Amino acid sequence: MSTELTPADPCATEFLDRAEIEVEGRLVDASNATLYCGLSADGVQAHCVYKPISGERPLWDFPDGHLAWRELATYLVSEAAGFHVVPPTVLREGPFGPGMVQLWVDTDEESELVDITAPDEVPEGWRPILRAEDGAGNPAVLAHADVPELRAMAALDVVVNNTDRKGGHVLNTAAGVFGVDHGICLHQEDKLRTILWGFMDEPLGDRVRAGLERLSRELDGELGSTLAGYLTAEELHALRTRTRLLRAADTYPEPGNQWRAIPWPVF
């Protein structure tokens, strides 16, 4: 009898490292090679997203390293802070060479945490982000839920300087709330683009505050040494600075006015 791996399994990353990978399909909407794969080892099964480095398109504004490295680095930052809002992620060899392997999580499509609705249909407690019109000219509102995991994810986006937190990158699952697609994070220049602006100017709260304190310590220790293998010295310095400044402010920031603060499309 086989068992299915979950994100909470303490051996998840070890399993991802050693499991046999079998490519089952490709996510055609992704801009870089993104493969849906089965994993199996010792009677345990799972699925993953495998993004081989060989399938990455060069980006003029992210010329250093690889997108797969940034995916791993963001996972390590989330774990160090105790946020746990990125699925288990490793770098390893795969059928098309080295790349990022991330545990696949099934979403609950009946319980989305980000949505576009009519103004009078925004769920109670949700945070409106953007007011616009739909294709027919009717008023519409982009909004997101207010749950602890999204507060942690919003803080993670700030410190890793996420340039592309779309609504479709927020997954509500039976195993928890997760963010995915972090290949264009951790640039040294401010580029934050996210749909999670609903908490701006509010206090960080105890969980996020404690997480940033842990992250600061880890960045000055083993985590910093590990990330130095994936980020430039300037990027690592900027990560430490953003973490320190967010801790000092103790509030979620407002959007900047020097760049577009919401990704497009928003999903």
Side-chain angles (χ1 to χ4, degrees):
M1 179 180 296
S2 62
T3 58
E4 191 78 14
L5 190 77
T6 69
D9 193 310
C11 299
T13 54
E14 186 270 339
F15 173 84
L16 291 176
D17 267 326
R18 65 184 177 84
E20 181 178 352
I21 299 177
E22 182 177 353
V23 177
E24 297 182 4
R26 179 172 182 172
L27 305 183
V28 295
D29 292 336
S31 56
N32 295 283
T34 303
L35 305 177
Y36 177 73
C37 304
L39 297 169
S40 60
D42 302 329
V44 178
Q45 296 181 345
H47 283 88
C48 73
V49 172
Y50 163 50
K51 298 182 180 181
I53 289 174
S54 61
E56 294 181 1
R57 293 191 312 170
L59 298 176
W60 67 267
D61 52 344
F62 280 84
D64 299 304
H66 300 291
L67 305 187
W69 292 2
R70 299 176 187 277
E71 295 255 22
L72 175 65
T74 301
Y75 166 72
L76 295 176
V77 169
S78 172
E79 290 299 291
F83 293 160
H84 310 303
V85 290
V86 179
T89 306
V90 301
L91 285 174
R92 58 162 287 182
E93 285 289 332
F96 299 100
M100 184 221 63
V101 173
Q102 185 174 84
L103 187 67
W104 177 271
V105 288
D106 289 316
T107 59
D108 181 359
E109 296 182 357
E110 299 300 318
S111 185
E112 298 288 354
L113 297 176
V114 183
D115 202 0
I116 297 175
T117 71
D120 59 353
E121 295 178 358
V122 176
E124 184 177 358
W126 279 41
R127 304 304 183 90
I129 304 303
L130 181 67
R131 298 183 183 275
E133 294 182 350
D134 64 18
N138 299 312
V141 175
L142 170 67
H144 66 70
D146 181 0
V147 296
E149 295 89 345
L150 289 191
R151 288 181 174 266
M153 194 180 299
L156 176 69
D157 283 350
V158 174
V159 297
V160 302
N161 198 21
N162 192 348
T163 73
D164 196 35
R165 174 68 73 202
K166 292 181 170 68
H169 297 168
V170 178
L171 309 180
N172 192 18
T173 81
V177 177
F178 298 99
V180 296
D181 286 346
H182 298 111
I184 47 176
C185 291
L186 295 158
H187 200 284
Q188 69 267 26
E189 298 176 6
D190 291 335
K191 294 174 177 282
L192 179 61
R193 287 190 290 271
T194 175
I195 47 79
L196 297 178
W197 288 113
F199 311 120
M200 65 179 180
D201 295 328
E202 294 186 9
L204 297 178
D206 291 342
R207 178 191 178 189
V208 170
R209 189 179 302 114
L212 294 176
E213 291 173 358
R214 287 194 298 270
L215 177 59
S216 290
R217 293 194 298 270
E218 292 292 329
L219 286 172
D220 290 334
E222 184 176 351
L223 176 63
S225 299
T226 299
L227 293 180
Y230 304 116
L231 306 176
T232 66
E234 294 78 11
E235 289 169 340
L236 186 53
H237 174 73
L239 171 60
R240 290 190 175 106
T241 300
R242 289 191 299 268
T243 303
R244 174 177 55 80
L245 291 176
L246 185 57
R247 284 182 62 203
D250 199 32
T251 58
Y252 290 93
E254 296 181 357
N257 57 13
Q258 297 180 348
W259 64 90
R260 178 167 47 87
I262 294 178
W264 189 262
V266 295
F267 278 90

